[in-house]
Amino acid sequence: MPRVVYTEPDGTRKEIEVPEGTSVMQGALDNGVDGIDANCGGHAMCATCHVYVAESYLSMLPEMSDDEDDMLDEAAAERRENSRLSCQIEMDDELDGIEVQTPDSQG
Ligand code: FES
């Protein structure tokens, strides 16, 4: 099963197996990772699942939709070049080991 390495706002790292086809957001919620709210339930409509993705994995992610792009402009924490909505990142074996950091605040 592919793994996600989450870094929480306080710097705690958690390596968690997330089933293929499950989003990085859902993997965080299911395993008590701090820093993800996911108020809209994964529909790219709230930006409270905002994460910073390690540069080496960015090019492996699906292209950002216009909805995701718009929502990231509304994110509570600073938008950076490596900002993505974690509900839009579906895990597969290729993404094994992906590192994401949750921001200090989601709202
Ligand atoms: S959960 Fe709402 S945008 Fe990802």
Side-chain angles (χ1 to χ4, degrees):
M1 204 181 292
R3 295 157 304 135
V4 181
V5 181
Y6 298 93
T7 302
E8 297 178 328
D10 70 355
T12 304
R13 281 167 67 90
K14 290 183 175 167
E15 184 175 312
I16 292 168
E17 292 190 331
V18 177
E20 278 194 76
T22 298
S23 71
V24 169
M25 172 277 273
Q26 194 61 49
L29 292 191
D30 290 349
N31 292 282
V33 172
D34 284 343
I36 301 280
D37 290 351
N39 292 338
C40 79
H43 300 291
M45 293 180 69
C46 72
T48 63
C49 67
H50 176 203
V51 294
Y52 302 118
V53 178
E55 305 282 345
S56 52
Y57 287 88
L58 276 180
S59 63
M60 299 164 71
L61 300 182
E63 210 164 309
M64 192 180 289
S65 67
D66 289 344
D67 284 347
E68 179 174 355
D69 199 6
D70 289 347
M71 285 317 307
L72 280 168
D73 283 339
E74 309 293 320
E78 173 198 11
R79 180 174 182 173
R80 301 179 190 159
E81 297 230 330
N82 61 340
S83 288
R84 294 296 304 251
L85 296 180
S86 58
C87 69
Q88 301 301 302
I89 305 172
E90 201 170 274
M91 286 307 293
D92 61 26
D93 280 336
E94 213 175 303
L95 291 178
D96 181 41
I98 186 172
E99 295 177 37
V100 301
Q101 177 166 10
T102 58
D104 290 339
S105 169
Q106 296 283 15

XYZ file of all heavy atoms in Angstrom:
809
model
N 0.848 -1.195 0.000
C 0.000 0.000 0.000
C 0.890 1.255 0.000
O 1.882 1.288 0.725
C -0.847 -0.027 1.287
C -2.133 0.764 1.169
S -3.102 0.732 2.701
C -3.617 -0.985 2.811
N 0.577 2.243 -0.830
C 1.425 3.449 -0.863
C 1.367 4.224 0.455
O 0.368 4.185 1.170
C 0.835 4.266 -2.014
C -0.553 3.761 -2.203
C -0.552 2.322 -1.765
N 2.475 4.894 0.744
C 2.560 5.642 2.002
C 2.574 7.145 1.736
O 3.110 7.606 0.737
C 3.855 5.282 2.742
C 3.943 3.832 3.205
C 5.388 3.430 3.381
N 6.128 3.655 2.150
C 7.329 4.221 2.074
N 7.961 4.595 3.157
N 7.925 4.403 0.907
N 1.991 7.858 2.685
C 2.069 9.324 2.689
C 2.825 9.727 3.953
O 2.551 9.200 5.033
C 0.668 9.974 2.719
C 0.790 11.502 2.695
C -0.190 9.499 1.559
N 3.776 10.625 3.798
C 4.473 11.157 4.960
C 3.927 12.562 5.220
O 4.143 13.486 4.433
C 5.998 11.209 4.734
C 6.690 11.748 5.984
C 6.531 9.825 4.366
N 3.165 12.668 6.292
C 2.556 13.950 6.657
C 3.444 14.644 7.689
O 3.924 14.005 8.626
C 1.191 13.731 7.320
C 0.142 13.066 6.456
C -0.030 11.684 6.475
C -0.712 13.823 5.657
C -1.017 11.068 5.700
C -1.704 13.216 4.885
C -1.849 11.845 4.916
O -2.832 11.249 4.162
N 3.630 15.941 7.532
C 4.256 16.731 8.588
C 3.210 17.692 9.115
O 2.641 18.494 8.355
C 5.482 17.511 8.064
O 6.419 16.584 7.522
C 6.146 18.291 9.186
N 2.926 17.566 10.394
C 1.877 18.389 11.021
C 2.424 19.784 11.327
O 3.641 20.016 11.307
C 1.393 17.697 12.293
C 0.742 16.351 11.998
C 0.304 15.611 13.258
O 0.965 15.768 14.307
O -0.701 14.878 13.172
N 1.541 20.744 11.663
C 1.986 22.113 11.923
C 3.082 22.200 12.994
O 3.944 23.074 12.931
C 0.706 22.821 12.386
C -0.386 22.070 11.712
C 0.074 20.639 11.684
N 3.086 21.309 13.975
C 4.114 21.388 15.024
C 5.394 20.630 14.647
O 6.310 20.500 15.457
C 3.566 20.859 16.355
C 3.346 19.346 16.340
O 3.532 18.711 15.276
O 2.985 18.797 17.402
N 5.444 20.119 13.416
C 6.663 19.459 12.953
C 6.648 17.948 13.118
O 7.568 17.270 12.666
N 5.604 17.404 13.738
C 5.508 15.948 13.895
C 5.336 15.277 12.534
O 4.494 15.694 11.734
C 4.290 15.586 14.782
O 4.408 16.256 16.022
C 4.195 14.078 15.000
N 6.152 14.246 12.274
C 6.036 13.499 11.016
C 5.288 12.191 11.249
O 5.574 11.481 12.217
C 7.424 13.195 10.449
C 8.049 14.364 9.746
C 9.515 14.114 9.497
N 9.777 13.045 8.533
C 9.905 13.235 7.218
N 9.783 14.442 6.726
N 10.159 12.233 6.426
N 4.359 11.898 10.373
C 3.606 10.651 10.470
C 3.625 9.962 9.113
O 3.187 10.536 8.120
C 2.153 10.930 10.871
C 2.008 11.402 12.302
C 0.554 11.603 12.682
C 0.444 11.951 14.167
N -0.907 12.448 14.525
N 4.126 8.733 9.094
C 4.139 7.964 7.850
C 2.971 7.000 7.902
O 2.889 6.162 8.807
C 5.464 7.218 7.728
C 5.579 6.471 6.423
C 6.949 5.834 6.242
O 7.958 6.529 6.462
O 6.981 4.640 5.913
N 2.070 7.136 6.942
C 0.813 6.390 6.997
C 0.542 5.714 5.660
O 0.715 6.324 4.596
C -0.343 7.358 7.359
C -0.150 7.835 8.806
C -1.702 6.703 7.175
C -1.026 8.975 9.204
N 0.096 4.470 5.714
C -0.301 3.772 4.498
C -1.705 4.211 4.123
O -2.628 4.150 4.957
C -0.265 2.263 4.719
C 1.144 1.727 4.906
C 1.184 0.209 4.893
O 0.173 -0.412 5.286
O 2.214 -0.352 4.502
N -1.853 4.658 2.893
C -3.153 5.134 2.413
C -3.511 4.305 1.175
O -2.740 4.268 0.211
C -3.086 6.640 2.062
C -4.413 7.121 1.491
C -2.707 7.462 3.300
N -4.661 3.636 1.198
C -5.009 2.742 0.088
C -5.053 3.464 -1.253
O -5.417 4.639 -1.320
C -6.419 2.243 0.461
C -6.558 2.502 1.919
C -5.695 3.688 2.225
N -4.709 2.730 -2.307
C -4.828 3.283 -3.655
C -6.258 3.746 -3.882
O -7.210 3.082 -3.460
C -4.500 2.215 -4.689
C -3.026 2.045 -4.924
C -2.770 1.238 -6.202
O -2.921 1.803 -7.289
O -2.453 0.052 -6.057
N -6.406 4.884 -4.530
C -7.733 5.409 -4.822
C -8.293 6.278 -3.706
O -9.354 6.868 -3.864
N -7.602 6.333 -2.590
C -8.018 7.188 -1.472
C -7.220 8.486 -1.534
O -6.039 8.473 -1.885
C -7.756 6.469 -0.131
O -8.550 5.280 -0.104
C -8.118 7.339 1.066
N -7.872 9.595 -1.192
C -7.170 10.880 -1.292
C -6.235 11.095 -0.108
O -6.419 10.515 0.971
C -8.178 12.034 -1.378
O -8.829 12.214 -0.138
N -5.263 11.958 -0.330
C -4.344 12.336 0.743
C -5.130 12.998 1.886
O -4.812 12.816 3.060
C -3.257 13.280 0.184
C -2.437 13.915 1.291
C -2.351 12.518 -0.785
N -6.171 13.720 1.548
C -7.037 14.336 2.568
C -7.701 13.263 3.423
O -7.654 13.299 4.655
C -8.094 15.222 1.880
C -9.170 15.772 2.778
S -10.541 14.616 3.096
C -11.623 14.952 1.714
N -8.315 12.267 2.765
C -9.028 11.228 3.517
C -8.060 10.422 4.376
O -8.380 10.038 5.509
C -9.783 10.302 2.543
C -10.810 9.419 3.215
C -11.913 10.216 3.913
O -12.487 11.123 3.322
N -12.178 9.925 5.170
N -6.883 10.178 3.843
C -5.868 9.466 4.618
C -5.519 10.201 5.899
O -5.287 9.592 6.945
N -5.491 11.513 5.835
C -5.200 12.318 7.025
C -6.351 12.225 8.030
O -6.145 11.992 9.226
C -4.967 13.777 6.626
N -7.573 12.372 7.537
C -8.735 12.331 8.443
C -8.850 10.963 9.111
O -9.126 10.868 10.313
C -10.035 12.607 7.680
C -10.272 14.000 7.115
C -11.713 14.121 6.640
C -9.953 15.090 8.120
N -8.633 9.911 8.356
C -8.805 8.551 8.885
C -7.754 8.203 9.938
O -7.941 7.265 10.717
C -8.704 7.525 7.750
C -9.896 7.572 6.813
O -10.889 8.242 7.156
O -9.826 6.958 5.728
N -6.653 8.953 9.935
C -5.545 8.594 10.820
C -5.191 9.683 11.822
O -4.114 9.658 12.420
C -4.323 8.231 9.971
C -4.542 6.943 9.193
O -4.447 5.849 9.756
N -4.888 7.063 7.928
N -6.074 10.636 11.989
C -5.885 11.641 13.027
C -4.709 12.568 12.802
O -4.089 13.037 13.755
N -4.418 12.864 11.531
C -3.350 13.827 11.235
C -3.884 15.238 11.496
O -4.968 15.588 11.035
C -2.887 13.684 9.765
C -1.919 14.795 9.392
C -2.272 12.313 9.537
N -3.107 16.036 12.209
C -3.525 17.403 12.505
C -3.333 18.306 11.296
O -2.403 18.115 10.517
C -2.669 17.979 13.649
C -3.091 17.427 14.988
O -4.211 16.889 15.074
O -2.303 17.525 15.935
N -4.223 19.290 11.179
C -3.992 20.351 10.201
C -4.823 20.247 8.951
O -4.651 21.030 8.023
N -5.748 19.267 8.885
C -6.658 19.150 7.743
C -8.083 19.228 8.270
O -8.447 18.455 9.158
C -6.492 17.790 7.016
C -5.072 17.583 6.514
C -7.515 17.648 5.889
C -4.734 18.276 5.232
N -8.876 20.151 7.736
C -10.276 20.257 8.177
C -11.224 19.598 7.171
O -12.159 18.917 7.553
C -10.664 21.720 8.370
C -9.971 22.328 9.585
O -9.350 21.560 10.346
O -10.035 23.555 9.761
N -11.024 19.860 5.889
C -11.830 19.230 4.828
C -13.319 19.481 4.994
O -14.138 18.576 4.919
C -11.535 17.723 4.773
N -13.681 20.729 5.161
C -15.081 21.086 5.430
C -16.053 20.707 4.319
O -17.219 20.439 4.589
C -15.193 22.591 5.689
C -14.516 23.004 6.985
O -14.334 22.176 7.874
N -14.124 24.259 7.093
N -15.596 20.685 3.078
C -16.541 20.401 1.982
C -16.584 18.913 1.642
O -17.318 18.505 0.739
C -16.208 21.225 0.742
S -14.840 20.569 -0.243
N -15.797 18.112 2.307
C -15.854 16.664 2.090
C -15.136 16.197 0.841
O -15.367 15.086 0.377
N -14.309 17.031 0.273
C -13.482 16.556 -0.835
C -13.909 17.026 -2.209
O -13.555 16.399 -3.205
N -14.648 18.126 -2.283
C -15.182 18.585 -3.572
C -14.474 19.813 -4.140
O -15.037 20.500 -4.995
C -16.680 18.854 -3.436
C -17.451 17.641 -3.018
N -17.625 16.563 -3.848
C -18.045 17.310 -1.838
C -18.324 15.628 -3.210
N -18.581 16.047 -1.985
N -13.294 20.112 -3.650
C -12.537 21.282 -4.122
C -13.347 22.565 -3.955
O -13.338 23.441 -4.818
C -12.089 21.102 -5.574
N -14.070 22.671 -2.849
C -14.923 23.840 -2.644
C -14.685 24.548 -1.318
O -15.472 25.407 -0.922
C -16.398 23.428 -2.740
C -16.776 23.001 -4.141
S -18.490 22.511 -4.268
C -19.296 24.092 -4.053
N -13.603 24.191 -0.606
C -13.414 24.873 0.681
C -11.965 25.289 0.967
O -11.737 26.218 1.714
C -13.909 23.980 1.826
S -12.832 22.562 2.165
N -11.026 24.621 0.415
C -9.596 24.907 0.633
C -9.127 24.660 2.063
O -8.046 25.097 2.437
C -9.230 26.324 0.211
N -9.913 23.941 2.861
C -9.444 23.628 4.218
C -8.721 22.274 4.266
O -8.525 21.703 5.334
C -10.600 23.635 5.243
O -11.536 22.621 4.901
C -11.263 24.992 5.318
N -8.333 21.805 3.099
C -7.482 20.618 3.020
C -6.156 20.985 2.356
O -5.447 20.120 1.866
C -8.174 19.498 2.257
S -8.398 19.900 0.509
N -5.857 22.272 2.342
C -4.638 22.815 1.727
C -3.387 22.163 2.341
O -3.287 22.064 3.562
C -4.649 24.332 2.001
C -3.455 25.087 1.558
N -3.117 26.292 2.135
C -2.527 24.844 0.613
C -2.027 26.756 1.549
N -1.652 25.913 0.624
N -2.471 21.739 1.467
C -1.181 21.215 1.935
C -0.065 21.754 1.040
O -0.311 22.208 -0.083
C -1.106 19.664 1.902
C -2.064 19.044 2.899
C -1.346 19.109 0.494
N 1.158 21.673 1.565
C 2.352 21.959 0.777
C 2.998 20.618 0.437
O 3.276 19.808 1.327
C 3.322 22.813 1.584
C 2.730 24.129 2.044
C 2.599 24.431 3.401
C 2.286 25.062 1.117
C 2.045 25.633 3.823
C 1.725 26.269 1.525
C 1.610 26.550 2.886
O 1.051 27.734 3.297
N 3.187 20.397 -0.870
C 3.701 19.114 -1.352
C 5.207 19.234 -1.604
O 5.661 20.224 -2.196
C 2.992 18.728 -2.673
C 3.549 17.418 -3.227
C 1.481 18.619 -2.453
N 5.979 18.233 -1.179
C 7.429 18.238 -1.429
C 7.683 18.364 -2.928
O 7.037 17.689 -3.737
C 8.050 16.959 -0.891
N 8.629 19.248 -3.280
C 8.884 19.601 -4.684
C 9.046 18.376 -5.581
O 8.554 18.354 -6.700
C 10.162 20.439 -4.801
C 10.172 21.701 -3.935
C 9.362 22.828 -4.537
O 9.035 22.728 -5.728
O 9.038 23.778 -3.795
N 9.722 17.351 -5.090
C 10.038 16.212 -5.951
C 8.802 15.433 -6.389
O 8.865 14.639 -7.326
C 11.024 15.284 -5.243
O 10.541 14.951 -3.973
N 7.694 15.660 -5.742
C 6.469 14.939 -6.105
C 5.507 15.786 -6.930
O 4.543 15.266 -7.487
C 5.736 14.444 -4.846
C 6.448 13.299 -4.197
C 7.432 13.530 -3.251
C 6.175 11.989 -4.559
C 8.123 12.481 -2.666
C 6.854 10.934 -3.982
C 7.827 11.189 -3.039
O 8.507 10.144 -2.476
N 5.766 17.079 -7.015
C 4.804 17.978 -7.663
C 4.497 17.575 -9.105
O 3.342 17.574 -9.527
C 5.340 19.412 -7.657
C 5.104 20.229 -6.388
C 5.707 21.623 -6.583
C 3.625 20.324 -6.041
N 5.548 17.233 -9.851
C 5.349 16.943 -11.273
C 4.600 15.629 -11.482
O 4.129 15.332 -12.580
C 6.696 16.899 -11.988
O 7.452 15.837 -11.448
N 4.480 14.813 -10.440
C 3.790 13.527 -10.573
C 2.284 13.658 -10.317
O 1.527 12.707 -10.515
C 4.365 12.528 -9.565
C 5.847 12.272 -9.807
S 6.626 11.497 -8.386
C 5.908 9.870 -8.499
N 1.867 14.825 -9.905
C 0.456 15.007 -9.549
C -0.375 15.367 -10.775
O 0.141 15.966 -11.720
C 0.325 16.117 -8.505
C 1.071 15.883 -7.202
C 0.811 17.040 -6.243
C 0.654 14.571 -6.580
N -1.654 15.026 -10.736
C -2.521 15.446 -11.833
C -2.582 16.971 -11.898
O -2.407 17.647 -10.889
C -3.899 14.864 -11.457
C -3.805 14.477 -10.035
C -2.361 14.300 -9.698
N -2.803 17.464 -13.095
C -2.868 18.905 -13.277
C -3.979 19.516 -12.426
O -5.005 18.885 -12.183
C -3.117 19.211 -14.749
C -2.506 20.509 -15.169
C -2.423 20.593 -16.679
O -1.905 19.639 -17.287
O -2.889 21.584 -17.216
N -3.750 20.719 -12.012
C -4.717 21.403 -11.149
C -5.933 21.858 -11.968
O -5.774 22.414 -13.053
C -3.999 22.624 -10.572
C -4.704 23.296 -9.468
S -3.748 24.727 -8.887
C -2.374 23.951 -8.076
N -7.122 21.615 -11.450
C -8.320 22.096 -12.136
C -8.507 23.590 -11.838
O -7.906 24.134 -10.909
C -9.551 21.334 -11.634
O -9.782 21.666 -10.266
N -9.360 24.242 -12.629
C -9.644 25.665 -12.369
C -10.262 25.841 -10.992
O -9.974 26.812 -10.293
C -10.593 26.221 -13.430
C -9.900 26.354 -14.774
O -8.659 26.311 -14.825
O -10.622 26.496 -15.788
N -11.111 24.897 -10.592
C -11.739 24.989 -9.262
C -10.685 24.949 -8.165
O -10.726 25.727 -7.212
C -12.722 23.827 -9.042
C -14.022 24.025 -9.782
O -14.266 25.153 -10.256
O -14.787 23.047 -9.891
N -9.745 24.023 -8.290
C -8.694 23.926 -7.274
C -7.866 25.208 -7.248
O -7.563 25.745 -6.181
C -7.807 22.713 -7.558
C -6.674 22.584 -6.542
C -5.847 21.309 -6.688
O -6.180 20.452 -7.522
O -4.858 21.189 -5.948
N -7.526 25.691 -8.430
C -6.729 26.918 -8.534
C -7.454 28.078 -7.837
O -6.872 28.824 -7.036
C -6.529 27.215 -10.024
C -5.374 28.161 -10.272
O -4.653 28.497 -9.314
O -5.214 28.580 -11.420
N -8.734 28.225 -8.114
C -9.518 29.313 -7.503
C -9.571 29.159 -5.990
O -9.440 30.134 -5.243
C -10.951 29.318 -8.049
C -11.000 29.774 -9.496
O -9.980 30.305 -9.992
O -12.060 29.581 -10.124
N -9.792 27.933 -5.526
C -9.922 27.722 -4.081
C -8.605 27.997 -3.352
O -8.599 28.540 -2.248
C -10.376 26.285 -3.776
C -11.822 25.980 -4.049
S -13.008 27.236 -3.522
C -12.573 27.478 -1.825
N -7.506 27.647 -3.975
C -6.210 27.873 -3.314
C -5.957 29.363 -3.100
O -5.276 29.758 -2.153
C -5.082 27.226 -4.120
C -4.957 25.715 -3.902
C -4.016 25.103 -4.940
C -4.462 25.394 -2.494
N -6.548 30.201 -3.978
C -6.417 31.651 -3.767
C -7.130 32.087 -2.493
O -6.832 33.135 -1.934
C -7.016 32.409 -4.961
C -6.087 32.391 -6.168
O -4.878 32.168 -5.984
O -6.591 32.612 -7.285
N -8.101 31.286 -2.055
C -8.893 31.626 -0.857
C -8.359 30.943 0.403
O -8.915 31.137 1.484
C -10.355 31.157 -1.033
C -11.031 31.578 -2.318
C -11.226 33.078 -2.368
O -11.568 33.652 -1.322
O -11.007 33.660 -3.448
N -7.332 30.155 0.282
C -6.834 29.392 1.442
C -6.410 30.326 2.570
O -5.904 31.433 2.322
C -5.670 28.505 1.011
N -6.609 29.864 3.794
C -6.284 30.698 4.963
C -4.782 30.921 5.083
O -4.329 32.027 5.379
C -6.822 30.028 6.230
N -4.021 29.869 4.852
C -2.561 29.994 4.951
C -2.007 30.448 3.601
O -2.636 30.238 2.561
C -1.944 28.654 5.350
N -0.849 31.049 3.656
C -0.181 31.562 2.454
C -0.143 30.520 1.340
O 0.238 29.379 1.565
C 1.248 31.930 2.856
C 2.150 32.312 1.724
C 3.634 32.230 2.115
O 3.951 31.671 3.190
O 4.449 32.720 1.341
N -0.523 30.936 0.127
C -0.389 30.041 -1.020
C 1.051 30.080 -1.522
O 1.625 31.153 -1.679
C -1.338 30.467 -2.141
C -1.240 29.560 -3.349
C -2.269 29.878 -4.420
N -2.123 28.935 -5.525
C -2.945 28.860 -6.557
N -3.987 29.667 -6.622
N -2.743 27.979 -7.519
N 1.611 28.902 -1.767
C 2.974 28.809 -2.285
C 2.956 28.028 -3.591
O 1.924 27.458 -3.970
C 3.890 28.096 -1.272
C 3.938 28.804 0.064
C 4.827 28.051 1.046
N 4.678 28.595 2.393
C 4.982 27.937 3.505
N 5.446 26.702 3.432
N 4.808 28.499 4.679
N 4.142 27.980 -4.245
C 4.234 27.273 -5.527
C 3.868 25.804 -5.384
O 3.427 25.169 -6.336
C 5.655 27.380 -6.069
C 6.058 28.806 -6.365
C 6.643 28.939 -7.753
O 7.238 27.965 -8.217
O 6.471 30.013 -8.342
N 4.081 25.248 -4.208
C 3.811 23.824 -4.005
C 2.504 23.581 -3.248
O 2.309 22.521 -2.665
C 4.980 23.156 -3.276
C 5.230 23.745 -1.893
O 4.801 24.861 -1.608
N 5.913 23.010 -1.050
N 1.610 24.563 -3.266
C 0.294 24.385 -2.624
C -0.605 23.519 -3.488
O -0.685 23.712 -4.701
C -0.387 25.754 -2.431
O 0.234 26.501 -1.426
N -1.306 22.596 -2.861
C -2.339 21.803 -3.526
C -3.456 21.520 -2.528
O -3.261 21.612 -1.325
C -1.781 20.450 -4.031
C -0.757 20.532 -5.139
C -1.298 21.102 -6.441
N -2.445 20.381 -6.965
C -2.407 19.605 -8.059
N -1.285 19.442 -8.714
N -3.515 19.015 -8.495
N -4.614 21.146 -3.079
C -5.705 20.663 -2.215
C -5.526 19.155 -2.069
O -5.521 18.427 -3.071
C -7.062 20.965 -2.843
C -7.420 22.442 -3.007
C -8.801 22.559 -3.657
C -7.396 23.182 -1.682
N -5.416 18.693 -0.834
C -5.111 17.271 -0.634
C -6.264 16.359 -1.020
O -6.064 15.162 -1.251
C -4.668 17.008 0.802
O -5.652 17.398 1.727
N -7.472 16.909 -1.132
C -8.599 16.063 -1.562
C -8.527 15.750 -3.048
O -9.229 14.862 -3.526
C -9.942 16.703 -1.222
S -10.345 18.188 -2.160
N -7.685 16.483 -3.762
C -7.582 16.279 -5.210
C -6.378 15.396 -5.566
O -6.070 15.202 -6.733
C -7.483 17.632 -5.919
C -8.677 18.548 -5.651
C -9.994 17.927 -6.100
O -10.166 17.574 -7.266
N -10.919 17.752 -5.160
N -5.699 14.889 -4.559
C -4.561 13.999 -4.791
C -4.972 12.589 -4.392
O -5.132 12.279 -3.208
C -3.327 14.424 -3.967
C -2.973 15.884 -4.247
C -2.142 13.509 -4.287
C -1.887 16.432 -3.338
N -5.182 11.769 -5.410
C -5.595 10.379 -5.158
C -4.332 9.516 -5.138
O -3.497 9.619 -6.033
C -6.532 9.946 -6.279
C -7.402 8.794 -5.920
C -8.474 8.586 -6.973
O -9.523 9.242 -6.880
O -8.244 7.768 -7.870
N -4.239 8.672 -4.140
C -3.020 7.870 -4.001
C -2.976 6.731 -5.009
O -3.981 6.113 -5.319
C -2.924 7.283 -2.587
C -2.541 8.308 -1.540
S -1.025 9.213 -1.961
C 0.195 7.882 -1.846
N -1.769 6.500 -5.519
C -1.483 5.273 -6.268
C -0.033 4.906 -5.966
O 0.678 5.658 -5.290
C -1.757 5.425 -7.766
C -0.906 6.498 -8.406
O 0.188 6.790 -7.901
O -1.338 7.040 -9.425
N 0.383 3.756 -6.467
C 1.723 3.260 -6.108
C 2.837 4.208 -6.529
O 3.878 4.291 -5.889
C 1.958 1.875 -6.711
C 1.288 0.802 -5.868
O 1.069 1.049 -4.667
O 0.981 -0.273 -6.410
N 2.604 4.915 -7.620
C 3.625 5.844 -8.103
C 3.907 6.945 -7.079
O 5.010 7.483 -7.004
C 3.136 6.468 -9.406
C 4.237 6.765 -10.385
C 3.653 7.264 -11.699
O 2.833 6.533 -12.277
O 3.985 8.374 -12.089
N 2.916 7.296 -6.299
C 3.077 8.387 -5.326
C 3.582 7.891 -3.975
O 3.624 8.659 -3.009
C 1.745 9.122 -5.139
C 1.254 9.938 -6.336
C -0.101 10.575 -6.016
C 2.256 11.016 -6.712
N 3.967 6.627 -3.917
C 4.442 6.066 -2.648
C 5.524 6.958 -2.035
O 6.493 7.306 -2.709
C 5.005 4.668 -2.901
C 5.500 4.023 -1.625
O 4.820 4.163 -0.587
O 6.572 3.377 -1.660
N 5.324 7.344 -0.788
C 6.323 8.145 -0.078
C 6.127 9.639 -0.204
O 6.934 10.425 0.307
N 5.055 10.057 -0.856
C 4.816 11.502 -1.046
C 4.818 12.218 0.310
O 4.275 11.717 1.293
C 3.486 11.742 -1.807
C 3.320 13.223 -2.140
C 2.285 11.227 -1.024
C 2.127 13.515 -3.053
N 5.480 13.369 0.331
C 5.575 14.147 1.563
C 4.722 15.392 1.440
O 4.852 16.134 0.473
C 7.030 14.543 1.826
C 7.915 13.357 2.092
C 9.363 13.763 2.281
O 9.606 14.827 2.881
O 10.224 13.018 1.829
N 3.866 15.588 2.419
C 3.025 16.795 2.440
C 3.090 17.423 3.829
O 3.163 16.725 4.843
C 1.546 16.504 2.078
C 1.429 15.883 0.700
C 0.874 15.608 3.096
N 3.055 18.741 3.830
C 3.047 19.467 5.100
C 1.709 20.180 5.248
O 1.230 20.804 4.298
C 4.178 20.487 5.115
C 4.181 21.319 6.374
C 5.466 22.083 6.559
O 6.302 22.150 5.673
N 5.608 22.676 7.720
N 1.118 20.055 6.425
C -0.137 20.768 6.652
C 0.189 22.163 7.207
O 1.098 22.319 8.023
C -1.071 19.999 7.606
O -0.421 19.772 8.859
C -1.443 18.647 7.015
N -0.556 23.185 6.747
C -0.250 24.559 7.171
C -0.683 24.832 8.617
O -1.424 24.043 9.206
C -1.038 25.412 6.173
C -2.108 24.536 5.638
C -1.663 23.115 5.784
N -0.230 25.966 9.139
C -0.550 26.334 10.518
C -2.040 26.483 10.744
O -2.545 26.207 11.827
C 0.127 27.654 10.887
C 1.621 27.480 11.008
O 2.062 26.336 11.198
O 2.341 28.484 10.893
N -2.731 26.959 9.725
C -4.154 27.234 9.907
C -4.919 26.932 8.637
O -4.416 27.119 7.541
C -4.344 28.711 10.274
O -5.698 29.041 10.197
N -6.161 26.451 8.805
C -7.031 26.220 7.644
C -8.223 27.161 7.680
O -9.140 27.046 6.875
C -7.523 24.762 7.595
C -6.442 23.727 7.410
C -5.929 23.628 5.957
O -6.157 24.487 5.132
N -5.198 22.548 5.688
N -8.241 28.075 8.627
C -9.391 28.981 8.642
C -9.382 29.854 9.858
O -8.468 29.823 10.657
S -11.916 19.071 1.291
Fe -12.737 20.927 0.611
S -11.385 21.539 -0.928
Fe -10.552 19.661 -0.265
